[in-house]
Amino acid sequence: MTVGVFGLGRFGTFWAGLLSERFSVLAFDRDPDIKPPHGVRRASLEELGRCPIVFLCVTIRAVPEVLQVLRPYLDRETIVADTCSVKVLPRSWLLEYLPEHTPILATHPMFGPESAKDGLEGLAIMMDPLRLDEKQAQFWEDVFAGFGLTVVRMTCEEHDREAAYSQALTHFVGRSLYRIGLPETPIATRWYKKLHGVAKQCVRDSHLLFEDMQNLNPYASEMRRKVLQGFADTLKDLGDNLELQFLEEHHDGCTE
């Protein structure tokens, strides 16, 4: 079986290499200078569109443009699967820009090259078979499970609601901690070391991805408001009125 991958950025290169362990993989990227990983062959859009499935490994905001570029080359039965970190908005684009007969699979691998460097066992992938019959959905669920992944079927709405905390919150806090410059110290506790690790890990992803997971997830804004309110309430408990006033002013700006 041949699998297509559109996009050879950091994640796309990793994903294409992973899939090549089980399938013949063709990859396309609009940058002609990007080389595919070992075992993956660069292909034209025509070749990509003839694959039984094409995974979109592009920035979230690029999905509408990519769908319009790819659509004329898709065979009738080719499955289009996205790998975006948010799901509700990409789902609407997939349904809007692809023909009604095109099978669609929404996925979100909850990991990347860095978090998967020690293996995939126990890592999760979300999937929502939007326009797949149960036989097709089960096939891909078995494929993902065969890599050692924990497959979680949920709707795109459920994903974004939960990912606003499980992912967007982590990156929001991690980048905020990185900005203040957490100091190294020989008396660091285990939990401080974990915070340090979160801060370092989050900034390895592009700022574009950070912006998209915060701004394109419909539940992330409310999460950030609750985080700021939580800080404000904690400062209030401490009687830290100066800091409380500063934070509440910024909190008010966030809710407008």
Side-chain angles (χ1 to χ4, degrees), residues 1 7 9 13 19 39 45-46 64 90 104 112 115 129 139 147 151-152 173 187 199 215 232-233 237 239 250 255:
M1 181 176 176
T13 297
L19 292 172
L45 285 171
E46 289 86 352
I104 299 172
S115 54
F139 173 83
F147 283 113
V151 184
V152 181
V173 172
I187 60 170
N215 295 329
D233 290 344
D237 289 343
H250 286 69
T255 58

Side-chain angles (χ1 to χ4, degrees), residues 128-185:
D128 185 357
L130 297 176
R131 281 195 200 151
L132 264 60
D133 60 39
E134 183 54 32
K135 183 178 180 181
Q136 291 173 310
Q138 190 61 54
F139 173 83
W140 284 104
E141 182 172 342
D142 292 343
V143 168
F144 298 145
F147 283 113
L149 297 171
T150 298
V151 184
V152 181
R153 287 206 203 187
M154 59 171 54
T155 67
C156 292
E157 287 85 357
E158 290 170 332
H159 170 278
D160 281 5
R161 190 180 298 112
E162 296 186 18
Y165 289 88
S166 66
Q167 185 179 48
L169 170 63
T170 304
H171 283 257
F172 181 70
V173 172
R175 282 189 177 258
S176 299
L177 292 175
Y178 187 83
R179 284 178 182 273
I180 68 175
L182 296 182
E184 299 279 359
T185 171

